[in-house]
Amino acid sequence: HTIIDRVKAEGSAAIEHAPSVERMIDRVMAEVKPGDLVITMGAGDIYKAGEKLLERLGEPVEKKDAR
């Protein structure tokens, strides 16, 4: 079972997998409303997805220091 399967089984949140960062951002932009909480999970540079999403939403972005 994947984490997506487990969350869906609980029935408490809308969740889906996106095959790419750009597809994820497009999907979120189509659904997100003021006050929504969006969580991105992954490894490596997934934080960049959040930064790109904020930029598309017109929000200020505090860039993470890439060390």
Side-chain angles (χ1 to χ4, degrees), residues 10-66:
E10 292 294 322
S12 61
I15 186 170
E16 63 185 77
H17 171 265
S20 70
V21 170
E22 290 306 318
R23 293 264 312 266
M24 179 276 296
I25 292 171
D26 290 342
R27 184 74 176 113
V28 171
M29 290 298 296
E31 298 291 329
V32 72
K33 297 179 282 307
D36 284 352
L37 172 65
V38 177
I39 298 173
T40 58
M41 295 176 62
D45 63 357
I46 191 64
Y47 69 90
K48 292 179 182 178
E51 291 175 351
K52 287 180 181 181
L53 180 59
L54 287 172
E55 288 170 354
R56 290 262 308 264
L57 290 167
E59 297 291 328
V61 176
E62 203 172 299
K63 298 282 185 177
K64 181 178 177 181
D65 181 18

